[in-house]
Amino acid sequence: MDAQPISAPWVVVYTGDNREAAMIIEFGHFCLVLAFVVAVVQTSLPLWGAHRGDARLMAVGDPAAVIQFLLIAASFAALTYGFVTSDFSLKLVVENSHTDKPMLYKVAGVWGNHEGSLLLWVLILAGFGACATWFGGNLPARLKARVLAVQGSIGVAFMAFMLWTSNPFLRLENPPMNGHDLNPLLQDPGLAFHPPFLYLGYVGLSMSFSFAIAALLEGRVDAAWGRWVRPWTLAAWIFLTIGIAMGSWWAYYELGWGGFWFWDPVENASFMPWLISAALLHSAIVVEKRESLKAWTILLAILAFGFSLTGTFIVRSGVITSVHAFANDPARGVVILGILGVFMGGALTLFAFRASVLEAKGVFAVISRETALVANNLLLAVAAFVVFTGTIWPLIAELVFARKLSVGPPFFDAAFTPFMVGLAVILPVGAMLPWKRAEIGRAMRPLRGALVLALAVGLLVYAVQTGRSALGPVGAALGAWVVSGALVDLWQRLGRGAISARLGRLTRLPRADLGKMLAHSGMGVTIFAVAAMTAWVTEDIRTVKIGESFALGRYDVTLLAVNSVQGPNYSSVMADMRVSAGGAQVALLHPEKRIYPVAGMPTTEAAIDLGVFRDLYLVIGDAQDDGGFAVRSYIKPFANWIWGGALLMALGGLVSLSDRRFRVAAGARKAAALPLAAE
């Protein structure tokens, strides 16, 4: 008799001899159901209390948010216990684990599937709601109650979706002796940690959305609101940056394609909210400093979370094929699309009704920091919509025109790159412009040295390289311009006087200024590295027999041996390859081609000799009829600078987040109850 899942979300069934393990699993299921009930309370009572001005009802939001988080955490811990102990009475464990799998990947298997990752999704959502309770003591009572209510409503929607269509605690009447194993592509340390960071970013943007909806309900956005929403957006942006960088690094060394970004639909799904949240961060500064761009900032907060939900739909619906996507039936995707429609449709409708009351107070000239930030926002937003269009166009073409189309890197490279070039050009200038009114000549005066340096670097690269595209010189010039411009901006903020006196003031600068310099510098480093790696890569594809050597740039590569190796849950064909230069050995590398027998799936494990200025990248392929092996080899210049730049951006965000001004509510003096007219 085949093992059959028990599909009703409320049924409790004890199977097997281990009653204690069964109780833990059922306890986790019960906690999830109870968390759903608490989320309903968190959504309804504080919202009604804020409408009626009832302090007791509004106060319900705080304990409800904390209790919901603790219940979901207990549920997640129970599911993790099931994976760690290989409890094959759980349908999810059977489909995504195996007794021979290393412990790290047993734990990673919890979120390496649709149901488990959805539980992680709601855990992080509840965690952000609890953080709003713990760190939101200076928020006005009504605003805080509405933020928690909106946050709770998102939890209600996704927990209902999970309990009725994607329950991670479904049991099997006849458990098998072993499982089907986790997708081999996910059995990698990079992919073990990549999804949690990405979800922290995705779901973190729900706080920006909740603040936006709460502000629309109150009909009020001011400088204090801009100060309150920024740390939540910044935290989400930091997590997204780290998550995207980890995913890019995994694709670079695990997939064996030799690239860092492939414009895959799921890659785009995380990149779009990153672009919009970056625009939101800069727009919120204008709200805080000048009380301008209020309606636009609210719209960005809605769109940022909307793109996160769009990414959830792309990953889980099965309508778009991707190496990263969960393989699920489109029926579940329809439910997610319905959730997206309800929240985005409701938010945009509320925005349409309330946008007229979001009157901007600040007036600014054409040449000003406000204008530079508007340009920054437009470039980032349009770039995000270009990526969105390219991602969903194959789906639209198939549904509307009955044509199968593929939108690949050539489209994205051509359509996206100009916006990033424009952003890099205006970034140092915009950071130097004063608020309200500025003179471009005066702002450019301190940047003359940075401009000369950037042009010199570009010309030097152009003179050195031969027979290559202009991408390298342009990328080098833009990277030098952004980095040097960020350093000049920080230097100007240290005031006048001797160098020693200026450096002495460095520790007294607001951390947000130092964080901005680091983040902008990271952007410049990444721009340069992407251009350098794309323009100057050396590639070689050939068949090589054991004992043969071939030239790769200034290196000689020799295939010494090919051996069969048995791993814990896979078998591997591993090559021994020596890389030498001038007769001296540089590295001994061991690329692999693994076969996971349970999953019946091969993976490619590239061997990389990491360097500061270049990576040596080797991939072993299938055996050929002539007795040789297919070998792909690359020299990747400045490859690690891509991820170094991303981490520098994240570090800059973290330093800014530690600024004391983010921990003290700017509008504490405005914490009095809002007038009833604002209702």
Side-chain angles (χ1 to χ4, degrees):
M1 179 178 178
D2 293 335
Q4 297 294 326
I6 299 166
S7 57
W10 316 103
V11 173
V12 177
V13 175
Y14 297 97
T15 60
D17 297 328
N18 192 340
R19 189 174 182 84
E20 180 182 350
M23 288 297 292
I24 291 174
I25 297 302
E26 298 304 337
F27 173 74
H29 190 183
F30 175 74
C31 286
L32 183 60
V33 174
L34 193 57
F36 171 74
V37 176
V38 173
V40 172
V41 174
Q42 180 183 332
T43 301
S44 53
L45 295 186
L47 195 62
W48 181 247
H51 178 70
R52 296 294 300 272
D54 190 326
R56 291 174 298 177
L57 291 178
M58 287 190 287
V60 171
D62 288 334
V66 175
I67 292 171
Q68 183 195 164
F69 170 66
L70 294 177
L71 287 170
I72 299 176
S75 180
F76 188 82
L79 184 63
T80 303
Y81 175 83
F83 271 85
V84 169
T85 59
S86 297
D87 184 354
F88 295 120
S89 69
L90 268 174
K91 180 174 181 284
L92 198 64
V93 176
V94 172
E95 293 177 345
N96 297 278
S97 193
H98 192 274
T99 52
D100 292 336
K101 191 168 61 173
M103 181 57 68
L104 173 63
Y105 305 133
K106 288 185 178 181
V107 175
V110 178
W111 55 79
N113 56 82
H114 167 68
E115 292 84 356
S117 66
L118 200 60
L119 183 58
L120 176 63
W121 205 101
V122 296
L123 172 64
I124 294 172
L125 179 76
F128 274 99
C131 286
T133 294
W134 295 327
F135 303 111
N138 286 326
L139 291 174
R142 288 192 179 186
L143 179 67
K144 185 178 182 182
R146 285 173 167 139
V147 167
L148 291 176
V150 176
Q151 199 74 3
S153 69
I154 302 171
V156 168
F158 277 92
M159 277 188 279
F161 169 64
M162 182 162 45
L163 286 170
W164 271 277
T165 73
S166 308
N167 193 341
F169 294 102
L170 292 182
R171 310 295 290 275
L172 296 174
E173 291 181 301
N174 299 298
M177 294 299 295
N178 220 323
H180 302 158
D181 208 356
L182 180 67
N183 184 338
L185 287 175
L186 303 181
Q187 295 187 40
D188 180 86
L191 255 290
F193 300 106
H194 160 66
F197 276 101
L198 208 56
Y199 288 1
L200 283 165
Y202 269 148
V203 184
L205 290 173
S206 65
M207 286 300 298
S208 305
F209 176 81
S210 297
F211 269 92
I213 299 304
L216 288 174
L217 290 172
E218 294 190 355
R220 176 173 177 176
V221 176
D222 53 18
W225 181 89
R227 176 66 58 86
W228 288 322
V229 78
R230 279 181 63 198
W232 299 104
T233 306
L234 182 57
W237 181 85
I238 292 170
F239 287 126
L240 264 178
T241 303
I242 296 173
I244 291 172
M246 291 180 71
S248 172
W249 167 239
W250 167 80
Y252 174 66
Y253 71 80
E254 174 67 22
L255 298 182
W257 298 342
F260 60 94
W261 196 261
F262 307 100
W263 296 108
D264 179 272
V266 177
E267 289 179 330
N268 296 347
S270 60
F271 194 40
M272 290 182 290
W274 185 87
L275 292 168
I276 296 294
S277 60
L280 174 59
L281 276 175
H282 292 85
S283 182
I285 296 174
V286 183
V287 175
E288 178 189 344
K289 301 293 186 182
R290 298 286 300 142
E291 294 206 25
S292 295
L293 304 183
K294 296 180 181 179
W296 172 248
T297 303
I298 292 287
L299 182 60
L300 283 177
I302 294 172
L303 291 177
F305 185 57
F307 275 117
S308 293
L309 292 181
T310 301
T312 302
F313 168 73
I314 289 175
V315 171
R316 301 170 191 277
S317 64
V319 298
I320 295 180
T321 302
S322 166
V323 69
H324 307 76
F326 296 114
N328 284 285
D329 60 289
R332 290 175 178 176
V334 171
V335 179
I336 297 175
L337 194 61
I339 295 174
L340 172 63
V342 168
F343 280 97
M344 289 301 100
L348 293 175
T349 300
L350 182 61
F351 175 79
F353 278 105
R354 287 290 202 177
S356 59
V357 302
L358 304 178
E359 181 181 354
K361 296 182 179 180
V363 179
F364 52 89
V366 174
I367 305 298
S368 62
R369 182 174 295 186
E370 292 94 327
T371 300
L373 288 171
V374 168
N376 162 288
N377 271 223
L378 291 176
L379 288 168
L380 288 169
V382 175
F385 279 102
V386 166
V387 176
F388 176 71
T389 301
T391 303
I392 67 165
W393 185 250
L395 178 61
I396 294 175
E398 185 172 357
L399 292 176
V400 178
F401 306 110
R403 295 180 58 191
K404 288 189 176 295
L405 298 177
S406 176
V407 179
F411 165 80
F412 289 107
D413 292 342
F416 179 81
T417 302
F419 297 104
M420 292 300 99
V421 171
L423 183 66
V425 169
I426 69 170
L427 197 59
V429 181
M432 299 287 291
L433 291 173
W435 295 102
K436 194 174 180 178
R437 184 180 294 106
E439 295 180 9
I440 190 67
R442 178 176 297 181
M444 281 295 300
R445 196 169 299 138
L447 289 169
R448 286 180 296 187
L451 181 60
V452 170
L453 175 63
L455 292 174
V457 168
L459 291 173
L460 177 63
V461 170
Y462 178 77
V464 170
Q465 74 171 26
T466 56
R468 297 182 183 267
S469 70
L471 181 61
V474 171
L478 287 175
W481 168 243
V482 173
V483 173
S484 58
L487 293 172
V488 168
D489 180 34
L490 183 68
W491 185 252
Q492 290 294 113
R493 293 177 184 276
L494 295 175
R496 298 182 178 180
I499 294 178
S500 58
R502 285 189 167 191
L503 293 177
R505 301 186 195 109
L506 186 61
T507 57
R508 298 194 296 272
L509 271 182
R511 291 183 183 177
D513 291 340
L514 181 60
K516 182 178 76 169
M517 184 275 293
L518 292 173
H520 287 185
S521 296
M523 180 73 173
V525 170
T526 301
I527 289 173
F528 162 70
V530 168
M533 183 171 165
T534 304
W536 303 330
V537 63
T538 300
E539 178 180 2
D540 185 274
I541 302 175
R542 67 176 66 216
T543 298
V544 184
K545 294 181 179 179
I546 295 175
E548 287 186 349
S549 300
F550 63 93
L552 178 67
R554 68 183 186 89
Y555 301 99
D556 292 313
V557 181
T558 304
L559 178 60
L560 300 176
V562 178
N563 304 302
S564 296
V565 178
Q566 185 62 45
N569 62 332
Y570 63 84
S571 59
S572 169
V573 174
M574 180 184 292
D576 298 332
M577 303 184 74
R578 182 178 63 230
V579 181
S580 57
Q585 179 172 300
V586 174
L588 184 62
L589 301 177
H590 308 282
E592 296 180 68
K593 193 172 184 65
R594 295 178 179 175
I595 298 292
Y596 290 78
V598 175
M601 183 175 177
T603 64
T604 299
E605 305 291 325
I608 308 173
D609 180 49
L610 302 175
V612 176
F613 300 108
R614 62 94 185 107
D615 281 358
L616 294 173
Y617 187 107
L618 301 179
V619 179
I620 188 72
D622 296 326
Q624 304 298 302
D625 294 337
D626 62 356
F629 291 84
V631 173
R632 283 183 290 123
S633 52
Y634 306 87
I635 299 176
K636 300 282 187 178
F638 298 98
N640 292 301
W641 290 39
I642 296 175
W643 301 288
L647 293 179
L648 192 58
M649 283 190 273
L651 176 62
L654 191 62
V655 171
S656 295
L657 194 60
S658 68
D659 194 312
R660 181 179 178 274
R661 294 176 298 176
F662 280 148
R663 301 194 299 272
V664 178
R669 65 186 183 279
K670 301 180 182 180
L674 295 174
L676 292 179
E679 298 291 340

